[in-house]
Amino acid sequence: MSSDDRYRKAGVDIEKGNQFVSNISELVRSTHGPQVLSGLGGFSGLFGLETGGMAEPILVSSTDGVGTKLKIAFMMNKHDTIGQDMVGMVVNDIAVTGAKPLFLLDYMATGKLELGVAEAVVAGIVEGCKQADCALIGGETAEMPGFYAPGEYDLAGFAVGLLDRIKMVDGSGIQPGNALIGLLSSGLHSNGYSLVRSIVFEELGLEVDAAVDDLPRSIGEELLEPTRIYVKPLLYLARQHGLLGAAHITGGGLLENVPRMLPPGAKAVFRQAGWPVPPIFDFLRTAGKLERREMYRTFNHGLGMVCAVPQTEADAALAGLEAMGCPARLVGEITGLTEGAEPVEVVA
């Protein structure tokens, strides 16, 4: 028996891995521009850095995964959107600084490589990269027999962006009177899924194809709705409307993420009536008997991104966002923080 045959018998198929790279090559290259200097199959990805005359160029990096939302993809045997979730979790974090994501690398590990599944995952990654105008320049696909349950995999992404230091968005200029603009979420995005799965599949005992009152699709389809990517809207706000700070609303919800953009002495006050909340949130709150505070601390509750801009820019910013297809609302304002008060408040 050859060494290749023995390795295949042990659970790792080198030829299948090579076939996978060949199958996705054209798809991946569709995200490349002239700055990508390498092809797939090398030991590293090469990207030519063009700073465009920036006074002090800064590289901005981020890494993240999808979390237990992957379990929904496994249950539905639907894998063509989960890659967009991974991209969104990474590039949205980069864009809150005003940086443009340049390139992304992915990491996918599984017990046994299934070509159709892996190619569907990459298709979702490519879609996300196109929405973010970001090149997918490489990655790693690891077969790890005995490490993952059959049919399961893990997924992570690593990205680098670029900005000019003098244009960095860090929240330091936020002050009372500034407007808070919320960029609406497409649904749950990629956080809170351990609690979601406990409520939906353990407490309620639902199947992924179950129809639920007030939800337009099956529960599985609702839960698998991909993360919205906010790169272009954030760069638009930074370039055109004086973006002062931004918070990506992921794990920790509004209550934990918004304070990360606030300077000392500033408080964010949200008016819940100011934005529509997708019905999946009301369903989970009722079904799980969750308190309002727990909802705001666990989920995005309809706001995937919160942005602070000067009050004088708010109307024009909202009009511009709507014109570019990004649903947004004026959701609150910045006030002064009194001693002992919480930095985030949500009022009716």
Side-chain angles (χ1 to χ4, degrees):
M1 182 182 296
S2 70
S3 59
D4 281 357
D5 289 338
R6 293 196 62 179
Y7 204 14
R8 189 179 301 111
K9 186 176 181 180
V12 178
D13 192 332
I14 295 175
E15 289 303 319
K16 186 183 288 185
N18 292 337
Q19 184 63 50
F20 173 60
V21 173
S22 176
N23 290 353
I24 65 171
S25 292
E26 285 301 317
L27 190 62
V28 172
R29 274 196 288 269
S30 70
T31 70
H32 292 181
Q35 289 174 282
V36 178
L37 307 177
S38 57
L40 291 186
F43 289 102
S44 56
L46 305 179
F47 191 91
L49 192 60
E50 297 177 3
T51 62
M54 291 183 178
E56 193 173 352
I58 296 176
L59 295 177
V60 182
S61 61
S62 180
T63 182
D64 210 338
V66 183
T68 60
K69 185 172 184 175
L70 287 167
K71 288 284 191 180
I72 312 300
F74 304 154
M75 294 168 73
M76 295 190 68
N77 193 27
K78 187 177 189 307
H79 308 277
D80 58 348
T81 59
I82 205 73
Q84 179 176 324
D85 284 292
M86 180 271 283
V87 175
M89 293 298 287
V90 178
V91 298
N92 286 343
D93 279 355
I94 285 176
V96 298
T97 67
K100 180 191 181 304
L102 298 176
F103 60 82
L104 180 140
L105 300 98
D106 70 277
Y107 174 80
M108 181 180 179
T110 186
K112 179 182 179 182
L113 182 62
E114 300 290 345
L115 289 180
V117 170
E119 289 165 20
V121 172
V122 171
I125 296 173
V126 166
E127 173 60 27
C129 284
K130 287 181 175 179
Q131 290 186 28
D133 194 20
C134 174
L136 177 60
I137 66 170
E140 169 70 5
T141 305
E143 273 192 298
M144 301 167 62
F147 202 82
Y148 293 94
E152 297 194 354
Y153 54 84
D154 201 3
L155 185 64
F158 315 84
V160 172
L162 178 69
L163 65 79
D164 196 338
R165 184 167 186 167
I166 63 174
K167 297 180 180 180
M168 181 167 58
V169 176
D170 61 4
S172 61
I174 292 176
Q175 57 187 342
N178 293 153
L180 290 174
I181 290 177
L183 309 186
L184 303 189
S185 71
S186 57
L188 291 167
H189 286 186
S190 299
N191 57 282
Y193 274 81
S194 293
L195 176 58
V196 169
R197 291 186 301 111
S198 175
I199 293 170
V200 173
F201 304 117
E202 295 176 19
E203 295 177 19
L204 299 181
L206 298 180
E207 301 293 334
V208 289
D209 59 355
V212 176
D213 289 345
D214 299 325
L215 295 183
R217 301 175 291 182
S218 73
I219 187 65
E221 291 172 314
E222 286 291 326
L223 298 183
L224 209 55
E225 177 68 28
T227 301
R228 186 165 277 160
I229 293 175
Y230 299 106
V231 171
K232 292 177 181 178
L234 284 170
L235 294 181
Y236 162 73
L237 291 175
R239 292 166 181 168
Q240 301 294 327
H241 297 290
L243 179 66
L244 299 166
H248 185 197
I249 311 304
T250 56
L254 287 171
L255 302 187
E256 298 289 338
N257 286 291
V258 173
R260 297 165 67 181
M261 79 173 185
L262 298 175
K267 176 179 180 177
V269 179
F270 292 88
R271 295 183 302 276
Q272 173 63 84
W275 75 91
V277 178
I280 185 65
F281 293 101
D282 286 335
F283 165 73
L284 290 170
R285 181 175 61 83
T286 301
K289 300 179 176 60
L290 302 176
E291 298 291 334
R292 287 282 184 184
R293 181 175 176 80
E294 188 172 5
M295 293 294 296
Y296 291 128
R297 196 169 184 267
T298 304
F299 304 112
N300 67 58
H301 214 253
L303 299 180
M305 189 73 66
V306 171
C307 304
V309 300
Q311 187 69 50
T312 54
E313 293 289 332
D315 288 344
L318 286 168
L321 289 167
E322 292 290 342
M324 66 190 307
C326 178
R329 299 289 189 278
L330 181 65
V331 296
E333 61 278 326
I334 299 293
T335 67
L337 179 65
T338 58
E339 186 175 353
E342 296 290 332
V344 176
E345 182 181 5
V346 184
V347 299

